[in-house]
Amino acid sequence: MTKKVLLFAIVILSISTYAQKAQRIGYIDMEYILENIPEYIEAQSQINTKADSWQKNIMKSQIEIESLKSDLAIEKALLTKDLILEREEDIQIRILELKKLENSYFGTDGDLFFLRQQLVQPIQDMVYNAIQDIASKRKYDFILDKSSDLIMLYSNDQYDLSELILDNISKTKKVNSARGVTKDSIETNTLSSDENSAKADVKINDRASKKAALQKKIEEKKAAQLKKREELKKAIEAKRKQRIKEIEDAKKAKEQIKQE
């Protein structure tokens, strides 16, 4: 629906140029621009490294769960009903923990989303600032993105502003460097990937600490439940032994009375 609306708007715009002043329209290739910005390449590399590490953690948990399921299937015939239920409950707890872990890494508000926001957003802002600068200086009315969902059936290379955008970004960096602009003063637009990564790591580590604390509470709760079960089992076994002893004592008392 959005594509049709955009195409319709372009057609109307083209027709209207006969009746009014011609509109200046240019386009860019956002993918091409980002792929030619070193900071973006570095940011993507760091994001991919983190994502691979998180995915390995998830796969490790998945393998452990499958191993627990396999062990239970093999030993099920030898276990009591209570022990089977206990093992099944432990597996379900592991599955729930895995889902929480996946969501914390790759969910809508997870670490991956947060890391991209920290590393990529400043670079995207820098590109958008360059686009606005070019549009303002050269009096462009519209600048379209060739790599977006917009369908461009034909595009003339002379209207491709991608190289101009890259030149603008490069000149801005040189000017800032020549002026001795501190990184803090341009933090929102041109922070280096390393600094952004360091800040992101601090916040992610803080989130990891909170998750570790939560995991510790879960483990403590599980340990308390297991301890309670063991105490209950011991109490039941003690009652059973006491009952057996009472029965044996009663039998002995009867035997003694008969002998007398």
Side-chain angles (χ1 to χ4, degrees):
M1 184 65 183
T2 303
K3 293 179 182 178
K4 291 180 179 179
V5 171
L6 287 172
L7 286 172
F8 181 75
I10 292 172
V11 171
I12 295 299
L13 182 62
S14 300
I15 294 173
S16 67
T17 55
Y18 291 99
Q20 58 182 338
K21 187 185 81 171
Q23 305 290 316
R24 282 178 60 81
I25 301 175
Y27 71 89
I28 63 165
D29 187 336
M30 183 63 79
E31 290 182 2
Y32 172 79
I33 292 172
L34 292 175
E35 287 170 0
N36 283 275
I37 298 177
E39 292 89 343
Y40 179 79
I41 302 300
E42 176 63 23
Q44 284 297 112
S45 176
Q46 293 178 19
I47 289 170
N48 291 338
T49 299
K50 287 285 187 181
D52 288 343
S53 174
W54 294 333
Q55 189 61 46
K56 286 178 182 177
N57 290 340
I58 289 173
M59 289 181 65
K60 182 181 177 182
S61 295
Q62 288 174 333
I63 291 171
E64 290 175 353
I65 290 171
E66 291 304 317
S67 178
L68 290 173
K69 288 181 178 179
S70 178
D71 291 344
L72 178 58
I74 294 171
E75 301 170 9
K76 203 166 188 177
L78 305 174
L79 300 174
T80 64
K81 185 177 179 180
D82 288 340
L83 287 175
I84 292 172
L85 290 173
E86 183 179 326
R87 296 274 283 273
E88 288 175 342
E89 185 178 310
D90 289 339
I91 291 172
Q92 287 303 313
I93 290 173
R94 289 289 194 101
I95 292 173
L96 289 174
E97 289 173 352
L98 176 59
K99 288 180 179 178
K100 288 180 181 178
L101 183 65
E102 288 177 328
N103 190 58
S104 69
Y105 285 150
F106 302 110
T108 53
D109 192 31
D111 290 340
L112 183 62
F113 172 81
F114 175 78
L115 188 62
R116 279 179 177 157
Q117 197 174 39
Q118 288 291 309
L119 297 182
V120 177
Q121 188 65 48
I123 299 169
Q124 289 177 330
D125 290 343
M126 183 170 60
V127 174
Y128 290 134
N129 287 340
I131 292 171
Q132 290 177 356
D133 187 46
I134 294 294
S136 176
K137 288 179 179 178
R138 300 195 174 225
K139 307 298 182 183
Y140 279 97
D141 297 289
F142 300 95
I143 295 181
L144 308 176
D145 181 9
K146 184 180 180 180
S147 62
S148 69
D149 289 336
L150 175 65
I151 298 175
M152 297 184 70
L153 301 177
Y154 171 77
S155 59
N156 191 323
D157 290 345
Q158 68 176 319
Y159 301 116
D160 187 349
L161 308 178
S162 301
E163 292 296 342
L164 282 175
I165 301 302
L166 287 170
D167 289 342
N168 183 284
I169 292 171
S170 179
K171 288 177 182 177
T172 300
K173 288 180 183 178
K174 289 178 182 179
V175 169
N176 287 336
S177 178
R179 289 176 178 174
V181 178
T182 63
K183 289 181 180 179
D184 288 338
S185 65
I186 56 172
E187 185 176 35
T188 57
N189 293 318
T190 56
L191 263 176
S192 70
S193 294
D194 288 340
E195 287 181 331
N196 273 320
S197 181
K199 286 194 170 189
D201 283 341
V202 169
K203 292 190 178 181
I204 287 174
N205 287 338
D206 182 57
R207 288 162 67 110
S209 298
K210 291 179 180 178
K211 284 191 285 187
L214 179 61
Q215 183 64 28
K216 185 179 179 182
K217 286 183 179 179
I218 293 172
E219 293 296 334
E220 289 174 350
K221 187 175 180 180
K222 284 170 62 178
Q225 288 176 338
L226 290 174
K227 183 179 179 181
K228 189 175 180 180
R229 286 176 188 166
E230 290 300 321
E231 290 174 350
L232 183 59
K233 286 180 184 178
K234 288 179 181 179
I236 292 171
E237 183 63 18
K239 286 182 179 180
R240 188 180 69 84
K241 289 181 178 179
Q242 180 64 29
R243 181 59 180 163
I244 292 172
K245 185 175 182 302
E246 289 174 355
I247 293 172
E248 291 294 329
D249 289 344
K251 285 182 179 180
K252 288 179 181 179
K254 286 182 180 180
E255 289 292 332
Q256 189 173 4
I257 291 172
K258 287 180 181 180
Q259 290 176 359
E260 292 176 353

